[in-house]
Amino acid sequence: MNAPLSAPRPRPLERLLDLGTLPVVCAVLTGLVALYMSLVALGNITDPDTNEAFVRHVLAMDTTFQDEDLMWRAITNKTAQDVAYFGIIAWESLTAVVLISATFAWGRGLRTGLFDHPRRLATVGLLMLELLFVGGFITIGGEWFAMWQSHSWNGLDPAFRNATIGAFALVLIHQMPQKPGAAKQLDV
């Protein structure tokens, strides 16, 4: 009797080289951004005073050029400032949760070879990151509240770095070829 043939076991070098595949890179990058957003949210929850001062000064526009043509935009009401700050923390936390879920989905995808769900979930989380940093900090904080004018409370450089990392991850994730029929068709 002949013993049944089994598939040859991959050699250690081949398994190591699997770490260099695009799905693994996407999983790791999603996980790193998830970790970063988790730490940002945790820092704002456990040490609210540090970044609360940032939000208050940006919204109050008290360290800008004080141009009277722009100062009508300032929000000096502490309750409104608190609502904005806690909204930012909630958005950061939700973004972290979505990206953590996407990281686990990538892990399942690495075992099953199915990457459509992880790609879509990671895309949602990374778009949330882009909305926060490009929409919230760069556009609203930087331009509407003239944060770029402040030497003390200007967060444009960190916001740009975060937006760049998120955009890079989005581009990489969408370089993976989709299997035919993997994307759902929308009836218009």
Side-chain angles (χ1 to χ4, degrees), residues 16-173:
L16 183 62
L17 290 176
D18 284 345
L19 295 176
T21 62
L22 188 54
V24 172
V25 171
C26 292
V28 170
L29 191 53
T30 301
L32 289 172
V33 177
L35 176 62
Y36 174 73
M37 287 306 297
S38 298
L39 293 176
V40 167
L42 180 66
N44 283 331
I45 291 167
T46 59
D47 179 25
D49 296 337
T50 302
N51 286 322
E52 184 180 45
F54 172 83
V55 171
R56 286 192 191 282
H57 285 288
V58 169
L59 295 178
M61 298 175 67
D62 57 0
T63 60
T64 63
F65 300 161
Q66 303 293 302
D67 184 345
E68 59 188 59
D69 292 334
L70 298 179
M71 290 308 292
W72 62 271
R73 299 175 183 177
I75 297 174
T76 56
N77 180 286
K78 294 209 183 302
T79 302
Q81 292 173 342
D82 288 343
V83 168
Y85 183 56
F86 292 121
I88 291 168
I89 294 172
W91 190 261
E92 291 167 345
S93 300
L94 185 58
T95 301
V97 167
V98 172
L99 289 169
I100 290 167
S101 299
T103 303
F104 283 106
W106 279 113
R108 283 189 304 278
L110 291 172
R111 287 189 302 280
T112 64
L114 301 172
F115 300 111
D116 186 54
H117 179 71
R119 178 194 349 251
R120 289 186 293 137
L121 197 53
T123 297
V124 170
L126 292 166
L127 284 175
M128 291 173 72
L129 181 136
E130 294 297 318
L131 285 170
L132 176 65
F133 290 109
V134 176
F137 287 100
I138 294 173
T139 304
I140 295 171
E143 288 303 316
W144 184 256
F145 291 106
M147 180 171 62
W148 64 271
Q149 295 178 1
S150 177
H151 293 289
S152 313
W153 302 101
N154 185 344
L156 289 175
D157 285 341
F160 180 76
R161 281 192 302 270
N162 293 326
T164 301
I165 291 167
F168 177 73
L170 276 169
V171 168
L172 268 182
I173 286 168

